[in-house]
Amino acid sequence: MTLKTKVASILLGAAVSFLAAVPNAHSTVARYIPFDQKVDEAEAIVLGRVTGTRSSFDPTGRWILTTATIEVDKSMKGRAGGTIEVTVPGGAVDGIHQQTVGVPAFRMGDERILFVKQERVGPTVLYLDQGTYEVRNDLSGRRTVWPASSDLVLLDNQTGKIAAAEESRTLESFEREVSLATDRLQRQRLNTAAVSRAVPAERSWRSSAVEFLDENKVLMILLGIGVLISLIPILRRR
């Protein structure tokens, strides 16, 4: 299997497992991914601009893949270089179009925030549409972050209900959210590690006590007899 075939197989497999068609609803649902989870699972979170795209068929001739080149302005997580390339399913080649609902489309000049996932064959966008945000100026000229336009219906697995649409916020607020999420995740890991260390320590203490009693049965029996003998005079006086 060639590299491009592997790329197509992995990316399309991820898209199919993440998305699910709803019969007779003419829509596609995907599970809603909380912000902290995206921050945790992303290997890099970058702010950058699309400087180029190219689409081509994979070697089987069945699937079109599009690779976008991103000039990175800022890295909010990870150590992304000056430019990165991300590959997603879909695109257009020689008038033939392929499109999957929920897969981000890239246009020259777009300014994006991308949550990048490193696959065995290269980087792609984590959770597809949920892993990309558009950056543009609002009416007052502030740089504002918007969830990517998508036809997906997001379903919250915990409540079983449709998740509320993510709101826009300033770029500064978005960066602050990433930082706060990173801090929360770090504290959770430290707490989990502390609990993991405490439980074995408690088990170790109990195990040591049991082993001591087991190895010193005769001594403990003699000690018990000695205590009883010492109590006999006291009991007689009563």
Side-chain angles (χ1 to χ4, degrees):
M1 183 181 290
T2 65
L3 181 62
K4 275 197 172 182
T5 304
K6 289 181 180 178
V7 172
S9 176
I10 290 173
L11 296 181
L12 290 168
V16 169
S17 63
F18 181 63
L19 306 172
V22 182
N24 302 320
H26 303 290
S27 60
T28 302
V29 298
R31 59 191 177 93
Y32 165 75
I33 307 299
F35 190 80
D36 281 18
Q37 182 177 340
K38 291 189 290 188
V39 172
D40 187 32
E41 296 182 13
E43 296 192 26
I45 302 174
V46 299
L47 166 66
R49 191 176 299 277
V50 180
T51 59
T53 61
R54 62 182 186 275
S55 299
S56 60
F57 279 101
D58 78 315
T60 68
R62 297 172 57 199
W63 309 111
I64 296 176
L65 303 175
T66 294
T67 298
T69 302
I70 312 295
E71 183 178 346
V72 178
D73 293 329
K74 188 171 188 178
S75 180
M76 302 179 193
K77 179 184 178 182
R79 295 177 176 270
T83 60
I84 61 169
E85 291 187 339
V86 292
T87 301
V88 295
V93 176
D94 297 331
I96 300 174
H97 295 258
Q98 286 183 356
Q99 184 178 3
T100 301
V101 174
V103 174
F106 297 98
R107 296 173 297 275
M108 283 285 294
D110 283 352
E111 191 172 13
R112 295 290 185 93
I113 291 175
L114 297 177
F115 287 64
V116 181
K117 176 184 180 181
Q118 186 71 31
E119 292 283 5
R120 288 185 298 108
V121 292
T124 186
V125 181
L126 177 69
Y127 294 118
L128 306 174
D129 271 355
Q130 291 190 70
T132 180
Y133 294 80
E134 299 172 1
V135 180
R136 54 182 185 263
N137 292 339
D138 64 11
L139 294 176
S140 63
R142 295 180 305 174
R143 298 175 79 193
T144 308
V145 179
W146 298 76
S149 301
S150 178
D151 294 326
L152 287 178
V153 175
L154 301 179
L155 192 66
D156 190 325
N157 281 356
Q158 293 184 346
T159 64
K161 298 179 180 179
I162 294 175
E166 195 170 347
E167 295 183 353
S168 62
R169 57 272 214 196
T170 64
L171 179 59
E172 291 79 8
S173 296
F174 189 94
E175 291 185 69
R176 188 162 53 250
E177 284 185 39
V178 172
S179 179
L180 291 172
T182 302
D183 290 342
R184 281 193 298 270
L185 292 163
Q186 182 64 21
R187 287 196 299 271
Q188 289 173 9
R189 289 192 182 93
L190 291 174
N191 291 337
T192 300
V195 171
S196 298
R197 287 194 298 269
V199 170
E202 182 180 352
R203 290 175 180 170
S204 177
W205 179 87
R206 290 178 179 176
S207 298
S208 298
V210 171
E211 288 176 4
F212 176 82
L213 293 174
D214 187 56
E215 293 174 359
N216 297 275
K217 289 179 182 177
V218 175
L219 178 62
M220 298 307 295
I221 291 172
L222 292 175
L223 180 61
I225 293 173
V227 171
L228 290 174
I229 292 173
S230 65
L231 289 174
I232 290 174
I234 298 174
L235 294 174
R236 282 178 177 176
R237 285 199 293 269
R238 290 184 178 181

